[in-house]
Amino acid sequence: MKVALYTSHHSLPFWHDPKNPYALFDPKAIEGWTCDSKNGVLPAEEHSVMPILNGLLALDIPGATAHVSIILNPHENTVEYGHRCWVQITTEAEEIDNDDLPIVVREGEVLVAHLWGGDNATYTPYQLLDKDPVEGERTPDFWAKFFLEKLQTTKERACKRARSKISEAEETLRYYDLIPEREKEKV
């Protein structure tokens, strides 16, 4: 899955001020970069968001894109959290711009469909977990399975609602089929 990056959670497709992403995540592009941590300056690959980004990147869901608010600063070659690191997953954009970035918003209109994610009152995806993360939850495999489960649960709910609406629509059509059609005027 493509992973589109945003500098603020407000800029994600389904939030206050949707914008187009500033970049697509490419782990090779940040080789040699750094991040600040409690333990000092570390390689960017050791930033706590990397397992999340790599897990999303590993998900094999053609036609979907993950949108993540995380700051990869090419001017300083650093990775840093913004105010909130949120994830939203949408359908893939139908168009790309001259920089090969997806066009998610045009003239204030969001052009992708929402699949998962929104205001969850967290500051990082780790807060989506029921407890502090353990070693196994700091891997791309864990996060790929985590987000796949979220998507599958959302799909089940959405499809159940849609089937219910289809059933209601079919029932309405069946009732009104009892009434004869208007005769068309002959010319």
Side-chain angles (χ1 to χ4, degrees):
M1 176 179 348
K2 290 180 183 171
V3 180
L5 304 175
Y6 300 78
T7 56
S8 168
H9 67 290
H10 292 280
S11 300
L12 292 171
F14 293 94
W15 200 232
H16 295 303
D17 188 23
K19 296 200 179 350
N20 288 310
Y22 72 86
L24 291 175
F25 176 63
D26 176 3
K28 291 179 183 148
I30 62 166
E31 289 176 358
W33 288 27
T34 61
C35 66
D36 288 330
S37 79
K38 296 177 224 173
N39 302 325
V41 177
L42 298 173
E45 295 84 8
E46 294 185 35
H47 191 286
S48 62
V49 79
M50 289 306 151
I52 296 162
L53 294 175
N54 284 312
L56 289 164
L57 196 61
L59 273 175
D60 186 18
I61 305 176
T65 298
H67 305 267
V68 182
S69 54
I70 188 71
I71 300 169
L72 304 185
N73 186 336
H75 305 294
E76 297 180 20
N77 292 346
T78 59
V79 178
E80 56 196 71
Y81 279 119
H83 181 63
R84 287 186 165 160
C85 177
W86 280 358
V87 175
Q88 292 181 355
I89 300 175
T90 70
T91 56
E92 194 170 57
E94 293 182 11
E95 298 177 54
I96 57 171
D97 67 14
N98 293 336
D99 295 320
D100 290 329
L101 295 174
I103 299 174
V104 176
V105 178
R106 181 179 287 122
E107 297 175 12
E109 180 184 352
V110 177
L111 305 174
V112 293
H114 185 267
L115 297 174
W116 181 85
D119 180 5
N120 54 35
T122 63
Y123 286 86
T124 78
Y126 285 98
Q127 290 178 310
L128 295 170
L129 304 175
D130 295 332
K131 58 187 179 352
D132 286 339
V134 295
E135 191 60 35
E137 295 168 342
R138 296 182 187 269
T139 66
D141 272 353
F142 170 83
W143 287 102
K145 290 174 188 168
F146 178 86
F147 286 112
L148 181 58
E149 174 68 28
K150 294 291 185 190
L151 286 166
Q152 289 169 330
T153 300
T154 303
K155 175 184 177 177
E156 289 165 2
R157 288 182 188 143
C159 289
K160 183 178 180 181
R161 276 194 312 273
R163 285 185 193 98
S164 176
K165 289 179 181 179
I166 289 170
S167 178
E168 289 172 22
E170 288 172 342
E171 187 175 1
T172 300
L173 291 171
R174 197 171 46 252
Y175 293 154
Y176 281 93
D177 273 348
L178 301 171
I179 301 169
E181 299 290 331
R182 292 179 195 256
E183 288 189 30
K184 294 184 180 169
E185 292 183 24
K186 296 180 183 175
V187 179

